[in-house]
Amino acid sequence: MDTLVYSLEVILLAAAIALLIFLTRNSSSNHASWFKDKHSERVITFLREALDEYRFGKITSVKLIYGPHLQRIFCSHLGIEMLSQILDQMQPWQQDEVAGLMKTIGYDEYLIEQLSHDNQRVIGEAIRLLNIFKVEKVNDAVYALLLEYQTAHDIQYEGLSLLVKTGDTKHLLELGHNAHYTSNLSFNELSQLFSEYRGDTEFLYRDLLGSDNSFLRRLIIRSIGQEKCYNFIPLLIEMCDSDTLSAEERVDILSTLDLLSDARQAREVKFFPDNLDARANTVV
C-alpha cells in the first residue's frame, strides 16, 4: 500500500513538472512564479534524497527504489529541461554527483537516444547534458549533428562546446578544414568556446591558421592574443607577407601583436599600410 501511495505521489510530481514548465513558458504572472518555486523545491528534495543514497553507496536502493521514479520524472523532453535548469544552479562538483547518480539508472543512454530526435531543441539540450555528464562515446554523433544542423544555434553551440571541452582535436580540425561547414555562432561565442579548449592549444591553433576559412583564421588570431600565446609572434609576423591575407586579418594580427606586447615588431612589417592603426579601431 505504501509503495502504491509513493508511486502515485511521484506520478503527480511528474505531472506538476509538466505544468510547471508550461506555465513558465507561457505566463509571467505571480501564480506561475509561485507554482514554479513550490514544485521545483519538491523535485530538488526528491533528487537530494536519491543523492544521499548514492553517496552512501546504496546503488541497489537507487536502482530499485529511486530509479523508476527518476526515469518517470526526467525521461521526457520536459524532464530534460527540468534537469538542465536544476544543474544550472549547482557547482561543478555537485553536477558530477548528479551525473553519477543518473548514470546509475541509465540516463546517459537515454540522452544518447535523444540525439536522433526530430526536435532540434531536444537534441541541443541532450548534448548539453551529455557534456555535463562527461559521456565520452558521443563525439562522432555530435560531429555528424554539427554538419547536419548548421543553422541550429543550440546544436552548434552545445556541440562545439562538447568537442572543445573534451579536447577533441580530430573533429575540430575536420570542421575547420571542411569547406562545406559554416557555424552560425557569433564571433564572441566562438571565441569563448575556444578559450575553454582542453587539448594542445598550440597544435590546434597552428593547424587552423592554415584553414581556407578567413573567418576561422581571424578567430584564431584573436584567440592567440586573448590567451597570450607568445610562441605565435614569429608566425604572425611571417603571415603578414602572405598575398592571400585579407586586410581585416592584417588588422587582427596587429591588434594581437599589440596584446602580446610586440607592437614595435608589428609596425616594422613593411606590408602594413600607414593608416592601419586607425583602421584597427573600425574593422570588426
Side-chain angles (χ1 to χ4, degrees):
M1 184 65 180
D2 291 341
T3 303
L4 177 59
V5 172
Y6 187 69
S7 298
L8 289 173
E9 288 180 348
V10 174
I11 292 173
L12 290 173
L13 180 57
I17 293 171
L19 184 56
L20 153 65
I21 296 177
F22 174 80
L23 288 172
T24 302
R25 285 181 178 175
N26 296 280
S27 174
S28 58
S29 66
N30 292 333
H31 175 72
S33 299
W34 170 86
F35 192 88
K36 178 180 179 181
D37 293 340
K38 178 181 179 181
H39 291 282
S40 291
E41 183 177 345
R42 291 182 62 186
V43 173
I44 293 173
T45 298
F46 181 79
L47 189 60
R48 186 182 296 119
E49 292 176 1
L51 278 170
D52 287 340
E53 296 291 292
Y54 175 75
R55 291 190 188 105
F56 286 105
K58 299 179 180 180
I59 305 301
T60 301
S61 173
V62 169
K63 288 182 177 180
L64 297 181
I65 299 177
Y66 290 92
H69 306 307
L70 289 171
Q71 289 174 341
R72 187 175 294 114
I73 293 172
F74 294 117
C75 287
S76 66
H77 180 192
L78 299 178
I80 290 176
E81 287 192 27
M82 171 62 74
L83 184 57
S84 181
Q85 291 170 11
I86 291 173
L87 290 172
D88 281 342
Q89 308 304 317
M90 293 183 169
Q91 297 297 322
W93 65 270
Q94 294 173 313
Q95 293 178 345
D96 289 341
E97 283 192 335
V98 173
L101 167 67
M102 299 304 286
K103 286 179 181 178
T104 299
I105 64 170
Y107 195 69
D108 51 337
E109 297 296 333
Y110 168 76
L111 291 174
I112 292 174
E113 292 175 1
Q114 304 316 298
L115 297 181
S116 59
H117 203 284
D118 56 2
N119 186 316
Q120 295 180 10
R121 181 166 180 169
V122 173
I123 296 173
E125 289 283 2
I127 294 174
R128 180 173 186 272
L129 290 182
L130 287 167
N131 196 5
I132 293 176
F133 285 9
K134 299 181 176 64
V135 178
E136 299 178 350
K137 52 187 176 182
V138 297
N139 289 42
D140 287 343
V142 169
Y143 171 74
L145 289 168
L146 286 169
L147 294 177
E148 181 178 356
Y149 295 99
Q150 296 187 32
T151 60
H153 180 273
D154 289 351
I155 294 177
Q156 288 296 313
Y157 187 88
E158 301 300 346
L160 286 173
S161 177
L162 185 144
L163 297 185
V164 163
K165 290 183 178 179
T166 57
D168 191 343
T169 305
K170 173 179 175 291
H171 284 123
L172 288 173
L173 291 180
E174 288 178 0
L175 288 173
H177 291 285
N178 188 330
H180 302 291
Y181 174 72
T182 304
S183 174
N184 68 343
L185 300 184
S186 70
F187 215 104
N188 289 338
E189 287 174 322
L190 287 170
S191 180
Q192 175 61 36
L193 287 176
F194 271 89
S195 70
E196 299 174 352
Y197 175 64
R198 298 176 182 172
D200 187 338
T201 300
E202 183 168 346
F203 175 81
L204 179 72
Y205 286 1
R206 284 185 183 277
D207 191 291
L208 291 180
L209 282 174
S211 169
D212 293 332
N213 187 322
S214 176
F215 181 86
L216 180 58
R217 290 198 304 269
R218 293 187 63 200
L219 171 68
I220 298 304
I221 291 169
R222 291 190 183 188
S223 296
I224 287 171
Q226 293 168 357
E227 298 174 30
K228 301 297 187 294
C229 300
Y230 297 102
N231 291 342
F232 283 90
I233 290 176
L235 177 59
L236 292 178
I237 294 177
E238 181 182 336
M239 286 177 63
C240 293
D241 291 329
S242 171
D243 295 332
T244 61
L245 205 65
S246 68
E248 289 80 7
E249 287 176 282
R250 298 182 198 284
V251 172
D252 287 334
I253 288 177
L254 178 60
S255 299
T256 293
L257 289 171
D258 276 334
L259 285 174
L260 297 176
S261 302
D262 208 60
R264 181 185 60 80
Q265 284 184 302
R267 293 188 177 90
E268 288 177 356
V269 177
K270 61 182 180 180
F271 208 89
F272 284 109
D274 294 335
N275 65 339
L276 190 57
D277 286 336
R279 292 172 59 194
N281 295 322
T282 59
V283 177
V284 178

